[in-house]
Amino acid sequence: MNLLYANDKKGEYPQSWYAATVDPLAPFEELRGETKADVCVIGAGYTGLSTALHLAERGYDVALLEAHRVGFGASGRNGGQLGSGQRMEQEGLETLVGKDDALKLWQLAEEAKDVTKGLIAKHDIACHLKPGVAHACFNAREVRHEHAYVDHLQDRYGYDQIEALDHDALQAICPSPKYVGGSLDMGAGHLHPLAYALGLARAAKAAGVRVFENTHVHHIDKGPRPTVRTDKGRVSAEHVVLACNGYLGTLDRKVAARVMPINNYIAATRPLAEDELQTVLRRDVAIADSKFVINYFRLSHDNRLLFGGGESYGYRFPSDIAALVRKPMTEIYPQLANIEIDYAWGGTLGITMKRMPVFARLAPNILSASGYSGHGVGTATHAGRLVAEAIAGQSEGFDIMSRVPAPPFPGGGMFRTPLLAMAMTWFALRDRLGI
């Protein structure tokens, strides 16, 4: 199944609240015929846009190829949370890669937030960036773990923008009867993800990047000067960058064996009245909870609740996404059982076995970064800069990321769909049982 076209119409953004609340870009032309470039970047999400922008600012001639529209995939559909750290907690990273590299990974993650915020400021991207992400827990055991982790970040990493929240402190932010404590990270943030992606695209275009939309890449001829082949054209380049994440398909089987595409879903309620807002979120911060099949939510700038959650099996979107998301939303907020949902949409992201991104040199002149596992707003943006630096000969950051072990999923790409169904069923059961 080609996920590029399994759930979406060619060249059209999904009918999301995000797409309904941005100033769209005029379509870029499709690639036809042959062209040359210093670097050919495949995929115009955060990774590809950031790579292209940073390279163009260094003077490279960049061709950016996108099968649909810029920001079409997970970059334009996600929960909009700009999180701290890596997707794996630092204690896990200390065990996985050692304390020295764990510290470097933390520093890179902090740099990722700075890069993202810096691009927004530099290019005047109107994406409603706001500070604050709270992590909400369901039971005392989870709260103890969360508070211990807060202490670890403060003591070992000197991170002073996070605080532990007891029951009353969390309820003062998020008055759901389900949550009993957690943490608040004011160094993290949240934003309008599609507006951010389109802002990066405008900046890339202004920097001289040649953007081609509705341009499906189906093959790469490796060699001293690789050739990227599309349906109606081809690009000869000194370097090629794979920035496809969950939409990689068969372009590289080594990466595909390590990055599994999964779907996730978000619903946007009607605008909430002031008294309703006080029963949902009392501070304008984003929330992510401790379930494996995570619930994540925040308020939009027009006072809607944007709620992400719900599991599904297989790669087809369900016929009624609103009903799917309403179930976990109602578990967190019973009072919203009958709230009108104005928008509901799905998207495809890439996850990995270790929940850490996969950075790889597939050849001396072909680089790849993907598998952000739901932590891509900052990490993918930063990946673009690290890839650009690596192409320019400054590869320290890219090399640190590439040293993180990236085991393949059992069976590689062949058995991912049944494995996904089994894994999601198991973890959803664990969530329900509270174990």
Side-chain angles (χ1 to χ4, degrees):
M1 179 186 295
N2 189 335
L3 290 179
L4 282 168
Y5 307 106
N7 298 295
D8 297 286
K9 295 180 180 179
K10 181 176 174 62
E12 295 184 17
Y13 293 107
Q15 293 183 346
S16 67
W17 176 83
Y18 296 142
T21 53
V22 293
D23 293 325
L25 294 175
F28 293 95
E29 65 180 8
E30 179 181 3
L31 177 64
R32 295 175 182 270
E34 299 184 17
T35 190
K36 295 181 180 180
D38 296 330
V39 184
C40 180
V41 180
I42 305 170
Y46 297 146
T47 305
L49 290 165
S50 176
T51 300
L53 173 59
H54 283 100
L55 284 169
E57 289 179 338
R58 287 174 172 266
Y60 287 82
D61 175 29
V62 183
L64 176 60
L65 311 184
E66 167 57 47
H68 286 283
R69 302 291 311 276
V70 294
F72 166 86
S75 295
R77 310 186 192 204
N78 66 80
Q81 296 194 15
L82 175 60
S84 298
Q86 302 288 346
R87 179 64 176 85
M88 180 184 285
E89 290 186 350
Q90 287 301 121
E91 291 164 317
L93 285 172
E94 290 165 12
T95 301
L96 182 66
V97 301
K99 291 186 176 181
D100 289 344
D101 267 11
L103 176 59
K104 293 175 182 177
L105 289 168
W106 172 262
Q107 293 168 339
L108 286 172
E110 286 297 283
E111 188 177 285
K113 291 189 300 186
D114 292 341
V115 168
T116 304
K117 295 173 183 178
L119 288 171
I120 291 169
K122 177 180 178 180
H123 300 289
D124 195 23
I125 301 175
C127 60
H128 304 278
L129 174 64
K130 297 178 181 180
V133 175
H135 190 227
C137 302
F138 288 89
N139 57 55
R141 174 181 55 82
E142 293 175 351
V143 171
R144 287 193 297 272
H145 172 83
E146 185 68 18
H147 288 185
Y149 188 56
V150 169
D151 290 341
H152 189 68
L153 292 182
Q154 292 173 341
D155 295 342
R156 174 159 178 77
Y157 295 94
Y159 188 60
D160 61 1
Q161 297 188 72
I162 192 169
E163 62 176 305
L165 302 176
D166 62 16
H167 176 271
D168 291 345
L170 182 62
Q171 289 292 308
I173 296 172
C174 177
S176 167
K178 287 290 186 178
Y179 298 138
V180 299
S183 66
L184 175 63
D185 182 358
M186 292 305 293
H190 54 102
L191 50 74
H192 189 306
L194 181 56
Y196 172 53
L198 296 182
L200 290 178
R202 291 186 180 95
K205 179 184 177 183
V209 175
R210 291 180 288 143
V211 183
F212 299 94
E213 293 182 324
N214 289 306
T215 299
H216 177 207
V217 174
H218 55 76
H219 188 73
I220 302 170
D221 297 329
K222 297 181 179 180
R225 188 175 178 89
T227 298
V228 176
R229 299 183 182 274
T230 73
D231 290 337
K232 299 179 181 178
R234 60 184 183 180
V235 181
S236 172
E238 295 288 340
H239 293 86
V240 172
V241 177
L242 296 182
C244 309
N245 205 31
Y247 296 96
L248 177 69
T250 59
L251 283 181
D252 187 272
R253 296 190 182 278
K254 179 181 177 181
V255 175
R258 291 162 171 78
V259 178
M260 178 189 291
I262 67 167
N263 295 331
N264 206 256
Y265 308 98
I266 303 178
T269 68
R270 63 161 170 78
L272 303 178
E274 185 60 35
D275 59 334
E276 293 173 313
L277 291 171
Q278 291 302 308
T279 72
V280 175
L281 280 171
R282 293 171 178 163
R283 288 181 62 177
D284 192 4
V285 300
I287 307 290
D289 69 24
S290 54
K291 284 191 174 184
F292 184 88
V293 184
I294 190 172
N295 296 314
Y296 54 94
F297 48 95
R298 62 192 181 92
L299 296 175
S300 67
H301 61 266
D302 59 354
N303 289 336
R304 301 173 188 271
L305 178 65
L306 306 179
F307 193 99
E311 72 265 12
S312 69
Y313 313 128
Y315 293 128
R316 293 283 188 184
F317 291 171
S319 59
D320 191 344
I321 295 175
L324 179 75
V325 179
R326 186 184 295 276
K327 183 177 180 181
M329 182 176 72
T330 302
E331 291 174 354
I332 303 303
Y333 293 120
Q335 73 273 24
L336 299 183
N338 298 312
I339 192 77
E340 295 93 335
I341 291 178
D342 288 348
Y343 302 88
W345 63 96
T348 301
L349 64 149
I351 64 170
T352 66
M353 286 283 285
K354 297 292 186 181
R355 298 299 186 268
M356 288 292 290
V358 176
F359 283 59
R361 291 183 184 271
L362 307 175
N365 50 9
I366 301 178
L367 281 71
S368 174
S370 60
Y372 306 108
S373 302
H375 198 68
V377 175
T379 308
T381 301
H382 190 225
R385 190 170 92 167
L386 295 181
V387 169
E389 289 174 347
I391 289 173
Q394 302 167 321
S395 64
E396 180 182 3
F398 186 93
D399 291 343
I400 292 169
M401 296 298 297
S402 68
R403 288 203 296 266
V404 178
F409 284 91
M414 185 179 300
F415 299 110
R416 291 187 306 186
T417 300
L419 282 172
L420 172 63
M422 291 170 60
M424 294 293 282
T425 301
W426 165 241
F427 284 111
L429 178 61
R430 287 186 60 185
D431 285 341
R432 294 185 184 108
L433 295 176
I435 60 176

